[in-house]
């Protein structure tokens, strides 16, 4: 089983590699669900890591329906990722009635080639996940990242298993959302090929003079969220023993 770590900063990416993760999904701002990482972070991580770096292409937080300008930004960022040597693209677009936006998602997939394309957790908002799966197979997506339309992948494992059976060998269903050492073995037992986790820990920051930047809804100002080496190793240990 492949363990993909969602890394939202440089240290998380380094920790993922040190711990033995198979690849990362690079993003920024986990507190708002992740957005596209900066050029500097992207370039540095791809240069310093030997494991594959998938890149999240999401221009802002909020919904997954984008303006023309936002969509052009997404396409430019995909091209930049290809030029820098990213291993894959993670993105997706929905319509206003919560279906896969066939036209725009197709454009993103075609532009990403030959890199593999993961349709991200926008999938958890679609009205009909079975039809959305068919659409994404037809479009040529390589995998779907999903929590099974529940708060966590463990809660949504029934739908994830149903989608995995429906997909067969046409597309990979990658459970993600709340996966940790205590529940990761359930996904190994269910024969999923890949899982996605952030394996984060809270690091206290010592500086007393900080200009508030994060809304209190998401984070306190004196903490940093970083993927933790021991947490990653614990997940790897559990899934390895279940294979």
């Amino acid at each position: 089983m492949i363990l993909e770590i969602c890394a939202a900063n440089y240290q998380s990416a380094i920790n993922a590699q040190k711990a033995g993760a198979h690849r990362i999904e690079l993003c920024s701002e986990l507190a708002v669900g992740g957005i596209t990482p900066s050029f500097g972070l992207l370039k540095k991580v791809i240069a310093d890591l030997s494991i594959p770096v998938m890149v999240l292409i999401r221009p802002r937080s909020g919904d997954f329906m984008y303006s023309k300008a936002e969509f052009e930004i997404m396409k430019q960022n995909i091209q930049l990722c290809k030029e820098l040597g990213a291993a894959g693209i993670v993105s997706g677009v929905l319509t206003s009635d919560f279906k896969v936006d066939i036209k725009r998602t197709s454009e993103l997939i075609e532009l990403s080639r030959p890199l593999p394309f993961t349709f991200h957790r926008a999938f958890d908002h679609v009205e009909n996940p079975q039809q959305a799966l068919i659409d994404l197979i037809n479009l040529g997506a390589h995998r779907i990242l999903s929590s099974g339309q529940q708060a966590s992948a463990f809660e949504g494992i029934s739908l994830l298993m149903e989608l995995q059976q429906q997909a067969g060998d046409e597309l990979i269903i990658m459970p993600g959302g709340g996966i940790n050492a205590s529940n990761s073995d359930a996904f190994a037992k269910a024969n999923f090929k890949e899982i996605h986790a952030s394996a984060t820990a809270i690091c206290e920051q010592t500086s007393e003079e900080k200009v508030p930047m994060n809304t209190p809804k998401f984070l306190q100002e004196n903490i940093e969220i970083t993927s933790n080496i021991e947490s990653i190793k614990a997940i790897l240990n559990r899934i390895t023993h279940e294979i």
Side-chain angles (χ1 to χ4, degrees):
M1 173 181 276
I2 290 174
L3 173 61
E4 176 181 278
I5 293 296
C6 180
N9 49 52
Y10 180 77
Q11 192 58 54
S12 292
I14 294 298
N15 287 353
Q17 177 161 286
K18 286 181 177 179
H22 302 99
R23 68 168 183 256
I24 69 165
E25 178 206 298
L26 186 65
C27 67
S28 293
E29 301 300 336
L30 275 183
V32 294
I35 58 174
T36 303
S38 70
F39 170 81
L41 177 61
L42 180 61
K43 186 175 182 180
K44 178 69 171 169
V45 168
I46 291 176
D48 290 358
L49 264 62
S50 59
I51 60 175
V53 178
M54 313 288 281
V55 184
L56 177 65
I57 303 298
R58 185 185 179 205
R60 57 162 172 78
S61 60
D63 63 34
F64 301 98
M65 294 156 271
Y66 301 110
S67 68
K68 182 177 180 180
E70 289 170 335
F71 189 62
E72 288 302 314
I73 291 170
M74 294 171 73
K75 291 192 290 185
Q76 290 180 31
N77 279 331
I78 288 175
Q79 188 59 48
L80 176 63
C81 289
K82 292 172 68 175
E83 293 170 1
L84 289 176
I89 301 299
V90 183
S91 193
V93 186
L94 300 182
T95 62
S96 59
D97 56 350
F98 300 99
K99 295 180 175 65
V100 173
D101 188 321
I102 301 296
K103 182 179 184 300
R104 284 185 157 186
T105 301
S106 177
E107 285 188 54
L108 297 184
I109 292 173
E110 290 303 316
L111 182 59
S112 298
R113 296 187 192 282
L115 302 184
F117 186 93
T118 300
F119 194 90
H120 59 33
R121 289 188 62 191
F123 186 87
D124 290 322
H125 296 271
V126 299
E127 188 175 58
N128 185 333
Q130 291 79 15
Q131 181 58 52
L133 171 57
I134 293 171
D135 293 338
L136 290 168
I137 290 173
N138 291 337
L139 289 175
H142 292 78
R143 67 178 55 81
I144 294 171
L145 170 62
S146 173
S147 64
Q149 301 200 324
Q150 299 296 322
S152 73
F154 187 72
E155 295 174 79
I157 195 169
S158 294
L159 176 59
L160 291 168
M161 291 173 68
E162 177 186 334
L163 294 171
Q164 178 183 234
Q165 183 174 11
Q166 180 184 347
D169 294 328
E170 297 294 320
L171 179 149
I172 295 170
I173 300 297
M174 179 168 63
I179 294 180
N180 52 49
S182 66
N183 61 29
S184 56
D185 57 335
F187 300 94
K189 291 175 181 176
N191 295 317
F192 287 99
K193 296 178 181 178
E194 307 179 359
I195 56 172
H196 172 99
S198 58
T200 52
I202 295 175
C203 303
E204 293 290 339
Q205 297 178 340
T206 57
S207 174
E208 295 181 0
E209 295 183 2
K210 290 178 64 65
V211 178
M213 295 293 289
N214 296 311
T215 168
K217 178 180 178 183
F218 297 113
L219 293 175
Q220 297 178 23
E221 297 303 323
N222 65 333
I223 62 174
E224 179 183 2
I225 303 298
T226 305
S227 295
N228 180 266
I229 290 176
E230 294 308 315
S231 298
I232 297 168
K233 286 183 176 179
I235 296 173
L236 286 167
N237 183 59
R238 290 296 293 271
I239 63 176
T240 300
H241 282 80
E242 288 299 333
I243 295 175

